Amino acid sequence: MVSLVIDRRFRGPPNSGNGGYVCGCLARHVSGDAEVTLRAPPPLERSLDVLTGADGGIELRENGKLLATARATDIDVPDVPRVSYEAAEEAAGRTPYEEQTHNLPTCFVCGPARGHGDGLRIFAGPLQAGAVPGKPVVFAASWVPHGSLSGADGHVAPEFVWAALDCPTGYCTVGARHLGLKGDETALLGRMAARIERRPRPGDRCAVVAWPTGREGRKLFAESALLDAEQEVLATARATWLLVDRQVQLGASA
């Protein structure tokens, strides 16, 4: 039986795994593009079972409790905004959340309380208004992957690419005033699908871009992309976020 243990370093909320990272870990067991649905907060530092379900998909369970499912899919994200590293770095300077105002300041991906070489420190902020015609809200962040993220082949491991594509979609959806949001809502990743074309190497200058695509009640939808220094697309993702109350975000039962 295959098992997964989520190290505390890779937390999102204080006591559960970062959603994008966990999705990426499960996606390793799927050939090609993958879609992962998170059913319950994945606990830290406990052995979790990775199983093949009755429908041929992948399941993550703890003592029989279903935590997440993964399946093969085909994802296409058209019209990716091409943003330079410099423009993404400038946008990151406008990130709406600092350590004092961030709901999850120790999040592995976007937590400002995480140090260099520990968290990814991807702080997405809005591009200048009108910078991308046809997309009312586009967030971007610069990212230089740390050496600790390297896989056996010398490139950034796939689960960290998934992680990098995750939190910026949450930032841009909660920041979407045209969808009736105020910016102070709390949300959790519910589902994520991704396609990885190429993976960067540690030290490469990258940009992450994300933009909202709609809303259905408490479901928020967004897409994201990872770009290299030449603004070529390395990976794309589609995410569904769920508006929740603060206690659910911190790990209480929904």
Short mmCIF file of all heavy atoms in Angstrom, two decimals, residues 182-205:
data_model
loop_
_atom_site.label_atom_id
_atom_site.label_comp_id
_atom_site.label_asym_id
_atom_site.label_seq_id
_atom_site.Cartn_x
_atom_site.Cartn_y
_atom_site.Cartn_z
N LYS A 182 -15.75 41.37 -1.15
CA LYS A 182 -15.23 42.57 -0.49
C LYS A 182 -13.74 42.49 -0.21
O LYS A 182 -13.11 43.48 0.13
CB LYS A 182 -16.00 42.83 0.80
CG LYS A 182 -17.47 43.17 0.58
CD LYS A 182 -18.20 43.45 1.87
CE LYS A 182 -18.48 42.17 2.63
NZ LYS A 182 -19.34 42.41 3.83
N GLY A 183 -13.16 41.28 -0.30
CA GLY A 183 -11.74 41.13 -0.06
C GLY A 183 -11.38 40.63 1.31
O GLY A 183 -10.22 40.31 1.57
N ASP A 184 -12.37 40.55 2.21
CA ASP A 184 -12.09 40.07 3.56
C ASP A 184 -12.72 38.70 3.83
O ASP A 184 -12.76 38.24 4.96
CB ASP A 184 -12.58 41.08 4.61
CG ASP A 184 -14.08 41.36 4.51
OD1 ASP A 184 -14.74 40.82 3.58
OD2 ASP A 184 -14.60 42.11 5.36
N GLU A 185 -13.21 38.05 2.77
CA GLU A 185 -13.82 36.73 2.93
C GLU A 185 -12.75 35.67 3.20
O GLU A 185 -11.57 35.86 2.88
CB GLU A 185 -14.61 36.34 1.66
CG GLU A 185 -15.85 37.18 1.41
CD GLU A 185 -15.57 38.46 0.65
OE1 GLU A 185 -14.38 38.76 0.39
OE2 GLU A 185 -16.52 39.17 0.31
N THR A 186 -13.17 34.55 3.78
CA THR A 186 -12.28 33.41 3.95
C THR A 186 -12.71 32.31 3.00
O THR A 186 -13.91 32.11 2.75
CB THR A 186 -12.28 32.89 5.40
OG1 THR A 186 -13.63 32.58 5.78
CG2 THR A 186 -11.71 33.92 6.34
N ALA A 187 -11.75 31.59 2.45
CA ALA A 187 -12.05 30.56 1.45
C ALA A 187 -11.05 29.42 1.57
O ALA A 187 -9.93 29.60 2.08
CB ALA A 187 -12.01 31.16 0.05
N LEU A 188 -11.46 28.27 1.10
CA LEU A 188 -10.60 27.09 1.04
C LEU A 188 -10.66 26.50 -0.36
O LEU A 188 -11.70 26.51 -1.01
CB LEU A 188 -11.05 26.02 2.04
CG LEU A 188 -10.68 26.19 3.51
CD1 LEU A 188 -11.31 25.07 4.32
CD2 LEU A 188 -9.17 26.20 3.69
N LEU A 189 -9.52 25.96 -0.81
CA LEU A 189 -9.49 25.28 -2.09
C LEU A 189 -10.35 24.02 -2.03
O LEU A 189 -10.20 23.20 -1.13
CB LEU A 189 -8.05 24.91 -2.46
CG LEU A 189 -7.85 24.24 -3.81
CD1 LEU A 189 -8.15 25.22 -4.95
CD2 LEU A 189 -6.43 23.70 -3.95
N GLY A 190 -11.25 23.88 -3.00
CA GLY A 190 -12.09 22.70 -3.05
C GLY A 190 -11.70 21.73 -4.15
O GLY A 190 -11.78 20.50 -3.97
N ARG A 191 -11.27 22.27 -5.28
CA ARG A 191 -10.91 21.41 -6.42
C ARG A 191 -9.86 22.13 -7.26
O ARG A 191 -9.88 23.36 -7.39
CB ARG A 191 -12.14 21.10 -7.26
CG ARG A 191 -11.87 20.28 -8.52
CD ARG A 191 -13.18 19.91 -9.19
NE ARG A 191 -13.94 18.95 -8.38
CZ ARG A 191 -15.26 18.76 -8.48
NH1 ARG A 191 -15.97 19.47 -9.34
NH2 ARG A 191 -15.86 17.86 -7.71
N MET A 192 -8.96 21.36 -7.83
CA MET A 192 -7.91 21.94 -8.67
C MET A 192 -7.53 20.95 -9.76
O MET A 192 -7.40 19.74 -9.52
CB MET A 192 -6.68 22.26 -7.81
CG MET A 192 -5.56 22.98 -8.54
SD MET A 192 -4.25 23.45 -7.37
CE MET A 192 -3.08 24.22 -8.52
N ALA A 193 -7.40 21.46 -10.97
CA ALA A 193 -6.91 20.67 -12.10
C ALA A 193 -5.71 21.39 -12.68
O ALA A 193 -5.67 22.62 -12.70
CB ALA A 193 -8.00 20.51 -13.16
N ALA A 194 -4.73 20.64 -13.15
CA ALA A 194 -3.52 21.27 -13.67
C ALA A 194 -2.91 20.47 -14.81
O ALA A 194 -3.07 19.25 -14.89
CB ALA A 194 -2.49 21.48 -12.56
N ARG A 195 -2.21 21.21 -15.65
CA ARG A 195 -1.40 20.62 -16.72
C ARG A 195 0.00 21.21 -16.60
O ARG A 195 0.17 22.43 -16.54
CB ARG A 195 -1.98 20.94 -18.09
CG ARG A 195 -1.01 20.63 -19.25
CD ARG A 195 -1.62 20.98 -20.60
NE ARG A 195 -2.72 20.09 -20.91
CZ ARG A 195 -3.47 20.20 -22.02
NH1 ARG A 195 -3.23 21.18 -22.88
NH2 ARG A 195 -4.45 19.35 -22.24
N ILE A 196 0.99 20.36 -16.55
CA ILE A 196 2.39 20.82 -16.51
C ILE A 196 3.04 20.51 -17.85
O ILE A 196 3.16 19.34 -18.24
CB ILE A 196 3.17 20.13 -15.36
CG1 ILE A 196 2.54 20.49 -14.00
CG2 ILE A 196 4.64 20.56 -15.39
CD1 ILE A 196 3.21 19.79 -12.83
N GLU A 197 3.43 21.55 -18.55
CA GLU A 197 4.14 21.39 -19.82
C GLU A 197 5.64 21.18 -19.58
O GLU A 197 6.25 20.28 -20.12
CB GLU A 197 3.93 22.63 -20.69
CG GLU A 197 2.48 22.98 -20.98
CD GLU A 197 1.85 22.08 -22.03
OE1 GLU A 197 2.56 21.21 -22.57
OE2 GLU A 197 0.65 22.25 -22.30
N ARG A 198 6.21 22.04 -18.76
CA ARG A 198 7.61 21.96 -18.38
C ARG A 198 7.74 22.45 -16.94
O ARG A 198 6.92 23.25 -16.48
CB ARG A 198 8.49 22.84 -19.29
CG ARG A 198 8.58 22.38 -20.73
CD ARG A 198 9.55 23.25 -21.53
NE ARG A 198 9.04 24.60 -21.74
CZ ARG A 198 9.62 25.70 -21.30
NH1 ARG A 198 10.75 25.63 -20.60
NH2 ARG A 198 9.10 26.89 -21.56
N ARG A 199 8.76 22.00 -16.27
CA ARG A 199 9.00 22.44 -14.90
C ARG A 199 10.27 23.28 -14.84
O ARG A 199 11.26 22.94 -15.48
CB ARG A 199 9.11 21.23 -13.96
CG ARG A 199 7.80 20.51 -13.75
CD ARG A 199 7.95 19.29 -12.85
NE ARG A 199 8.58 18.17 -13.56
CZ ARG A 199 9.68 17.54 -13.17
NH1 ARG A 199 10.33 17.94 -12.07
NH2 ARG A 199 10.17 16.54 -13.87
N PRO A 200 10.23 24.37 -14.09
CA PRO A 200 11.44 25.20 -13.99
C PRO A 200 12.50 24.51 -13.14
O PRO A 200 12.24 23.50 -12.48
CB PRO A 200 10.92 26.47 -13.30
CG PRO A 200 9.78 25.97 -12.46
CD PRO A 200 9.12 24.88 -13.27
N ARG A 201 13.68 25.07 -13.16
CA ARG A 201 14.75 24.63 -12.27
C ARG A 201 14.86 25.61 -11.10
O ARG A 201 14.50 26.78 -11.23
CB ARG A 201 16.09 24.58 -13.02
CG ARG A 201 16.19 23.46 -14.07
CD ARG A 201 17.56 23.45 -14.70
NE ARG A 201 17.70 22.38 -15.69
CZ ARG A 201 18.06 21.14 -15.40
NH1 ARG A 201 18.36 20.82 -14.13
NH2 ARG A 201 18.17 20.23 -16.34
N PRO A 202 15.35 25.15 -9.97
CA PRO A 202 15.62 26.09 -8.88
C PRO A 202 16.51 27.23 -9.37
O PRO A 202 17.46 27.00 -10.12
CB PRO A 202 16.33 25.22 -7.84
CG PRO A 202 15.78 23.84 -8.08
CD PRO A 202 15.62 23.75 -9.57
N GLY A 203 16.19 28.43 -8.96
CA GLY A 203 16.94 29.61 -9.38
C GLY A 203 16.38 30.30 -10.60
O GLY A 203 16.78 31.44 -10.89
N ASP A 204 15.48 29.65 -11.35
CA ASP A 204 14.88 30.29 -12.52
C ASP A 204 13.95 31.42 -12.09
O ASP A 204 13.23 31.31 -11.08
CB ASP A 204 14.09 29.27 -13.34
CG ASP A 204 14.96 28.31 -14.11
OD1 ASP A 204 16.19 28.51 -14.13
OD2 ASP A 204 14.40 27.36 -14.69
N ARG A 205 13.91 32.47 -12.86
CA ARG A 205 12.98 33.57 -12.59
C ARG A 205 11.65 33.25 -13.26
O ARG A 205 11.58 33.08 -14.48
CB ARG A 205 13.54 34.89 -13.10
CG ARG A 205 14.87 35.26 -12.46
CD ARG A 205 15.11 36.76 -12.40
NE ARG A 205 14.91 37.42 -13.69
CZ ARG A 205 14.96 38.75 -13.84
NH1 ARG A 205 15.17 39.52 -12.79
NH2 ARG A 205 14.78 39.28 -15.03
#
